[in-house]
Amino acid sequence: EVQLQASGGGSVQAGGSLRLSCSASGFTFDDYTIGWFRQAPGKEREGLAYISNTDGSTKYAASVKDRFTISSDNAKNTVYLQMNSLKFEDTAVYYCAADQSPPTVIGGLIMPIMDYWGRGTLVTVSS
């Protein structure tokens, strides 16, 4: 059974940092792409970044490119999202997801279409 567990969310003041973790099991981690997505209240789910565990390539949404860093520890079957310089508008539920292929990118937007999804972790940024 495929399982993805996001953790590390919490409350932080604007300008602060958080590191999210996505622990994966039930599939061959090295063969998959793992992505981070978020959904704020009243908004559509937004793709933030993904990493291909086959070749280590990464892709970021323009909105987070200079502030967020995605990384993978294949030995631990875990993907991280380091979030720096957090803003109020980063407040959302953050999800990790997995797919054997990278998500489609259209106009710089990472489409939230992945095979497997974990439960989200809430990030609240206070101004």
Side-chain angles (χ1 to χ4, degrees), residues 99-123:
D99 198 302
Q100 284 192 293
S101 299
T104 300
V105 179
I106 300 176
L109 299 178
I110 301 171
M111 296 293 106
I113 302 173
M114 304 282 276
D115 281 345
Y116 304 105
W117 291 83
R119 293 184 179 181
T121 185
L122 177 63
V123 172

Side-chain angles (χ1 to χ4, degrees), residues 10-32:
S11 297
V12 63
Q13 289 190 331
S17 299
L18 281 175
R19 189 178 78 158
L20 305 182
S21 299
C22 175
S23 298
S25 62
F27 60 94
T28 305
F29 188 77
D30 292 359
D31 292 343
Y32 275 69

Side-chain angles (χ1 to χ4, degrees), residues 10-120:
S11 297
V12 63
Q13 289 190 331
S17 299
L18 281 175
R19 189 178 78 158
L20 305 182
S21 299
C22 175
S23 298
S25 62
F27 60 94
T28 305
F29 188 77
D30 292 359
D31 292 343
Y32 275 69
T33 291
I34 308 295
W36 282 100
F37 302 80
R38 69 185 178 190
Q39 189 163 16
K43 294 189 176 181
E44 294 186 353
R45 191 164 295 187
E46 173 189 11
L48 303 175
Y50 67 78
I51 184 166
S52 169
N53 286 325
T54 58
D55 62 9
S57 60
T58 60
K59 176 73 175 178
Y60 293 90
S63 59
V64 303
K65 184 175 182 179
D66 296 327
R67 299 186 297 123
F68 292 7
T69 302
I70 191 169
S71 61
S72 183
D73 186 336
N74 289 35
K76 295 182 178 180
N77 283 12
T78 301
V79 170
Y80 303 98
L81 186 68
Q82 177 67 43
M83 306 187 295
N84 298 327
S85 302
L86 284 162
K87 306 175 182 179
F88 175 75
E89 50 265 40
D90 292 319
T91 295
V93 177
Y94 284 69
Y95 300 88
C96 61
D99 198 302
Q100 284 192 293
S101 299
T104 300
V105 179
I106 300 176
L109 299 178
I110 301 171
M111 296 293 106
I113 302 173
M114 304 282 276
D115 281 345
Y116 304 105
W117 291 83
R119 293 184 179 181

